[in-house]
Amino acid sequence: MAESDNVVRAGLTPKFKDVDVLCEMLTYDDGPPYMVPPLLIDGGAERYIAPVPEFLVDRAMVEAGGAVLLPASPFVSIVVVVEGRGKLEELVRQQPQLGGGANSVDGLVHAVRQGSVFMACAGTALQVRAEERLLIFRATAKHDLAEAEAAGGGGAPSLPTTTAASASASASASA
């Protein structure tokens, strides 16, 4: 962990421990833990809307031979494969181009397995297909799914069609 001026240490370190501040900031609340109930979203995944303003988490458990669609988020997402093996296909809605027509980069497919981590660009839906039972999580900035759907394209704003694969390639090229 990087050093920070906003850390209050509780112990197990030779560094300064501010016990008084630690005791003031703790909340003593007895009872069972707060459980975040999942919401079923289109495509068969579950969405956990945590009681924090910054993010939400989608969970997809896909049995062998099955598939689940994680709808597009208007923000960048982090995808983590916790269990299993399968394929992840990026689906970016068609974008109007200057002079008419549309451009789409649907179909980029990635082999995934336990421990795989991906960045999915804003506006990218993810089709997850399991070769063996697959557990996958996606974290993204909190957004209103109904509001994003009303804006068109499953929450995908008008953005350049950049995919996780091309973003990764660009980062590698510039390194």
Side-chain angles (χ1 to χ4, degrees):
M1 182 170 130
E3 260 190 67
S4 173
D5 64 353
N6 64 353
V7 173
V8 178
R9 292 177 186 84
L12 303 178
T13 177
K15 296 179 181 178
F16 175 70
K17 294 169 271 302
D18 194 338
V19 176
D20 292 334
V21 170
L22 177 67
C23 290
E24 286 175 24
M25 63 187 277
L26 292 176
T27 302
Y28 299 94
D29 192 8
D30 219 0
Y34 174 73
M35 301 297 286
V36 178
L39 303 172
L40 190 59
I41 57 176
D42 289 341
E46 296 173 323
R47 174 157 291 167
Y48 293 86
I49 301 176
V52 296
E54 294 85 9
F55 68 93
L56 58 84
V57 175
D58 292 335
R59 174 188 184 268
M61 174 62 81
V62 190
E63 295 301 326
V68 166
L69 177 68
L70 294 174
S73 167
F75 303 103
V76 171
S77 301
I78 300 296
V79 180
V80 179
V81 181
V82 175
E83 175 185 324
R85 186 171 49 88
K87 303 281 185 204
L88 183 137
E89 182 177 5
E90 297 180 56
L91 306 171
V92 179
R93 71 183 172 106
Q94 293 192 342
Q95 303 287 329
Q97 300 297 305
L98 292 176
N103 181 24
S104 174
V105 291
D106 288 357
L108 291 175
V109 179
H110 309 279
V112 298
R113 59 181 166 72
Q114 182 178 356
S116 296
V117 177
F118 288 90
M119 182 205 80
C121 292
T124 303
L126 302 171
Q127 180 75 47
V128 180
R129 297 183 191 284
E131 295 170 3
E132 60 185 49
R133 182 177 160 147
L134 188 63
L135 176 58
I136 191 167
F137 289 90
R138 175 182 65 177
T140 188
K142 193 176 272 186
H143 62 280
D144 182 334
L145 189 60
E147 183 179 301
E149 290 275 344
S158 295
L159 295 170
T161 53
T162 304
T163 65
S166 62
S168 176
S170 296
S172 297
S174 64

